[in-house]
Amino acid sequence: MHNFAFDNEYRKQGFVYIVGIDEAGRGPLAGPVVAAAVILPPAFYDERITDSKKISKETLTELALLIKENALSYALGFVDAPMIDEINILNATKLAMLNALESLTHEYDIVLLDAVKLSGLKKKSEAIVKGDEKSFSIAASSILAKVARDEYMDELHLKYPHYAFNEHKGYPTKKHLQLLEIYGPLDEIHRFSYKPVKNAKYRQIKLF
C-alpha cells in the first residue's frame, strides 16, 4: 500500500488529524537523539516524501522546508548524550518523542509512531514496524528528525573540527572510531554507555 493511502485508511475511520513521529540518532556514538512530530493537512501530498534513509541530502533539506511550510504543526524533541547514558537509548528516544508530541499546537486524533510504543497518551496511538516506509506522516517526521540532527552535528563540527562530525554525524564509522582512539571521547557529546566510547575512554585512562 502506498504511504499516503496508508494514512488515508485511518482518516476513513475518522482519525482526520494524524501525528507522525519518528527519531534520528539511536545508533550514533555522539550527539543527541532527535525526534520529530508532525501533523500534515489531510490533502497535502508530495511523492518524494518517504523513508529519510532513501533520500539524498539536497532533497532532504528541500523536503524538510516544504513539510515545515505546509504542516499544521510540527515540533522537535532533543535528548542529549548525558541523558542517554543515564536512562538508556530506548527511554531517551521515548522522552524525545514525548517532548516533540507535547510541543505540538494543533489538535490531533491519532499518533502513528515508527516502531516505538508510547504509553499514557491521551489519544490512540499505534507503533508501526517500518513505519517510515508505510506511513506518509511518519515519513515526513523522519525527514524532519534527520535534517535537524544532521544540522546539529554540522554545528558540533564547527566547535570540534578534529572529530569530523560533519562526515559521520557521530555514527560508529571507521573514521570516527579512529578519531576516538586518537583524541578520546568528548564529555557531554559522546555516549559513554556505548561500548566503543567506553573502550576509548578506558584506553585514554590507561595512557595517563
Side-chain angles (χ1 to χ4, degrees):
M1 188 191 292
H2 195 277
N3 66 8
F4 192 59
F6 184 94
D7 285 22
N8 280 338
E9 285 299 312
Y10 285 95
R11 293 196 174 99
K12 286 175 192 168
Q13 296 169 43
F15 302 108
V16 179
Y17 297 114
I18 296 169
V19 180
I21 301 184
D22 200 1
E23 51 67 37
R26 284 175 79 168
L29 306 176
V33 61
V34 180
V38 63
I39 305 169
L40 294 167
F44 173 74
Y45 176 66
D46 188 300
E47 65 185 6
R48 297 170 299 167
I49 292 173
T50 183
D51 172 8
S52 62
K53 293 185 281 295
K54 299 176 179 175
I55 306 171
S56 72
K57 189 180 178 183
E58 291 72 23
T59 307
L60 275 173
T61 306
E62 191 183 319
L63 288 175
L65 284 171
L66 182 75
I67 292 162
K68 288 174 182 178
E69 282 166 7
N70 285 277
L72 298 170
S73 182
Y74 73 90
L76 297 165
F78 287 74
V79 174
D80 65 14
M83 182 60 83
I84 291 168
D85 289 338
E86 193 176 316
I87 64 174
N88 82 39
I89 187 61
L90 178 59
N91 287 324
T93 299
K94 290 180 178 182
L95 180 60
M97 288 177 162
L98 278 171
N99 289 346
L101 181 63
E102 287 168 2
S103 299
L104 291 172
T105 56
H106 192 282
E107 62 185 68
Y108 55 87
D109 304 308
I110 191 168
V111 181
L112 302 184
L113 303 116
D114 186 27
V116 176
K117 287 191 173 84
L118 288 182
S119 54
L121 300 184
K122 298 183 194 86
K123 295 287 173 87
K124 179 180 169 69
S125 67
E126 285 198 22
I128 297 157
V129 176
K130 295 194 173 168
D132 49 5
E133 293 176 23
K134 294 175 185 170
S135 161
F136 186 71
S137 299
I138 296 175
S141 68
S142 83
I143 290 168
L144 293 188
K146 178 163 174 49
V147 169
R149 190 180 191 281
D150 284 357
E151 286 173 352
Y152 185 97
M153 297 310 290
D154 285 339
E155 284 174 24
L156 271 189
H157 170 68
L158 298 177
K159 279 188 189 171
Y160 310 102
H162 49 296
Y163 283 90
F165 287 129
N166 61 326
E167 291 179 42
H168 52 71
K169 307 300 186 211
Y171 282 89
T173 61
K174 192 177 175 186
K175 179 164 188 174
H176 188 194
L177 293 172
Q178 286 170 343
L179 293 170
L180 258 180
E181 288 300 318
I182 296 165
Y183 299 111
L186 285 163
D187 286 340
E188 306 291 317
I189 305 296
H190 279 99
R191 302 175 184 178
F192 288 84
S193 54
Y194 281 41
K195 200 171 180 184
V197 180
K198 202 183 285 179
N199 291 347
K201 173 82 172 171
Y202 177 67
R203 279 192 285 274
Q204 289 290 118
I205 291 166
K206 281 180 79 175
L207 286 174
F208 296 106

